[in-house]
């Protein structure tokens, strides 16, 4: 079994495939000011097995397209959507996030938890913007430095894993440079890493190694994950995920009314933020 298949096997039974939490998904929803009864079109990009997709489907009246390039994860999501009774509003799309098939201005909200790094934050926010309606929202979590100075071993690890890692002010600047209006940012708490992601993963290690006969490839994956966990535990004051909420500006006032209504957001929302 190749490395990707092993990673799928390790992660597909997890609730989340990256740091996050249901309370933080809901907090981002509130920070974005999304009206829960509006008939929104949402894409959840890099959805994994759908922790955020399925929560959004339960909290909103929206139609959600859950996108991931791994059909194994989407199969799990489809089964869970059926079991939760939201399958009529959730559809899955096996596709890469750099080849999304959405029409221009088709989406009210782009959601992406712990996934935009796969094409890079700057590229993702730039390329996905055209899919948003004027006034539409981007909600994305991204690994972020919490401090301006970091211990060398942490810096070296993340510089080699993801050179685009940066402080929140730099991420917000990227959003601004690409024409978004940042609405807010918050840091995912430690619980999202440990209880939401690392501890459940560690609990799966023994069975995973057993299933794969303790092969060198399986052991290498466990060792790499363990190293990342140890680094996080040692240096969690310096790194986390940030949740970023930003809006694609609405068209100027004389043509804005229709676009705002089409986006499904109430006047109150715009009055608060304009
Ligand atoms: C860290 S996981 C996060 C999953 C989920 N959003 C969550 O928070 O549990 C990243 C996800 O991005 C997906 N992914 C990686 N590269 C991708 C690509 N090029 N296009 C689409 N999805 C991709 C992976 O399959 C994985 O499900």
């Amino acid at each position: 079994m190749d490395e990707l298949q092993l990673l799928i096997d390790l992660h597909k039974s997890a609730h989340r495939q990256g740091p996050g939490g249901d309370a933080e998904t809901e907090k981002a929803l509130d920070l974005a000011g999304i009206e829960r009864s509006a008939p929104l079109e949402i894409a959840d990009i890099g959805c994994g097995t759908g922790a955020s997709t399925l929560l959004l489907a339960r909290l909103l009246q929206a139609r959600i397209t859950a996108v991931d390039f791994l059909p194994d994860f989407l199969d799990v999501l489809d089964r869970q959507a059926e079991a939760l009774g939201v399958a009529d509003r959730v559809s899955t799309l096996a596709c890469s996030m750099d080849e999304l098939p959405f029409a221009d201005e088709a989406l009210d909200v782009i959601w992406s938890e712990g996934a935009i790094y796969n094409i890079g934050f700057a590229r993702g926010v730039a390329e996905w913007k055209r899919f948003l309606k004027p006034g539409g929202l981007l909600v994305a979590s991204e690994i972020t430095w919490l401090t301006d100075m970091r211990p060398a071993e942490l810096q070296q690890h993340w510089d080699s894993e993801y050179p685009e890692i940066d402080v929140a002010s730099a991420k917000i600047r990227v959003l601004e440079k690409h024409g978004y209006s940042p609405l807010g940012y918050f840091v995912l708490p430690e619980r999202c890493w440990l209880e939401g992601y690392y501890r459940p993963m560690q609990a799966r290690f023994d069975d995973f190694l057993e299933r794969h006969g303790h092969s060198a490839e399986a052991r290498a994956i466990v060792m790499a994950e363990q190293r990342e966990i140890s680094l996080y535990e040692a240096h969690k004051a310096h790194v986390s995920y940030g949740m970023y909420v930003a809006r694609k500006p609405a068209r100027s006032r004389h043509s804005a009314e229709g676009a705002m209504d089409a986006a499904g957001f109430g006047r109150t929302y715009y009055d608060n933020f304009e």
Side-chain angles (χ1 to χ4, degrees):
M1 195 178 267
D2 68 19
E3 190 189 7
L4 180 60
Q5 288 305 318
L6 286 168
L7 284 167
I8 292 170
D9 184 63
L10 176 60
H11 290 285
K12 81 172 176 199
S13 62
H15 178 57
R16 284 183 180 268
Q17 286 72 40
D22 287 1
E24 286 67 30
T25 298
E26 196 162 355
K27 183 173 173 176
L29 199 57
D30 290 338
L31 184 57
I34 292 171
E35 202 182 300
R36 296 191 179 207
S37 59
L40 304 174
E41 280 293 336
I42 299 180
D44 185 355
I45 301 176
C47 59
T49 58
S52 53
T53 310
L54 296 169
L55 182 61
L56 293 175
R58 279 160 40 214
L59 295 173
L60 307 174
Q61 292 305 309
R63 284 161 38 93
I64 306 175
T65 305
V67 182
D68 204 283
F69 77 158
L70 294 178
D72 296 75
F73 287 174
L74 297 178
D75 288 347
V76 175
L77 197 163
D78 277 329
R79 283 198 297 275
Q80 289 182 338
E82 199 67 54
L84 289 167
V86 294
D88 57 329
R89 288 185 293 106
V90 172
S91 52
T92 52
L93 176 64
C95 150
S96 181
M97 61 177 74
D98 56 3
E99 291 178 347
L100 296 171
F102 300 112
D104 288 0
E105 303 189 0
L107 300 170
D108 297 293
V109 180
I110 292 178
W111 202 276
S112 185
E113 294 196 26
I116 195 170
Y117 73 88
N118 286 294
I119 56 167
F121 187 78
R123 181 177 170 200
V125 304
E127 289 188 5
W128 299 350
K129 188 177 167 209
R130 69 186 180 89
F131 305 127
L132 283 174
K133 295 175 186 173
L137 292 158
L138 172 71
V139 180
S141 70
E142 163 81 340
I143 194 158
T144 299
W145 293 130
L146 303 183
T147 54
D148 204 36
M149 305 278 286
R150 280 82 53 175
E153 66 165 352
L154 183 71
Q155 182 84 43
Q156 280 158 15
H157 172 80
W158 283 112
D159 277 351
S160 78
E161 290 292 314
Y162 184 51
E164 227 179 294
I165 187 169
D166 213 333
V167 290
S169 53
K171 295 292 170 187
I172 289 169
R173 187 75 196 108
V174 169
L175 290 165
E176 289 168 339
K177 271 172 51 187
H178 288 286
Y180 291 82
S181 179
L183 301 185
Y185 150 80
F186 64 89
V187 177
L188 295 196
E190 188 181 324
R191 173 173 44 76
C192 290
W193 290 77
L194 297 179
E195 291 161 38
Y197 182 51
Y198 284 151
R199 297 294 179 248
M201 188 200 318
Q202 287 174 307
R204 297 193 302 274
F205 283 161
D206 284 349
D207 282 351
F208 170 74
L209 289 169
E210 205 59 37
R211 274 199 303 282
H212 300 287
H214 292 261
S215 70
E217 294 80 4
R219 280 187 287 117
I221 284 176
V222 169
M223 276 174 56
E225 300 283 15
Q226 267 302 152
R227 170 160 161 70
E228 188 187 297
I229 294 168
S230 303
L231 270 176
Y232 175 74
E233 288 173 333
H235 303 301
K236 58 194 174 209
H238 298 277
V239 67
S240 189
Y241 265 82
M243 185 74 83
Y244 297 86
V245 179
R247 180 158 59 91
K248 174 174 172 174
R251 293 203 178 92
S252 56
R253 185 57 74 181
H254 65 277
S255 62
E257 295 290 337
M260 287 176 187
D261 291 342
F265 301 112
R267 292 296 315 163
T268 316
Y269 172 79
Y270 280 92
D271 292 345
N272 281 344
F273 287 100
E274 286 191 333

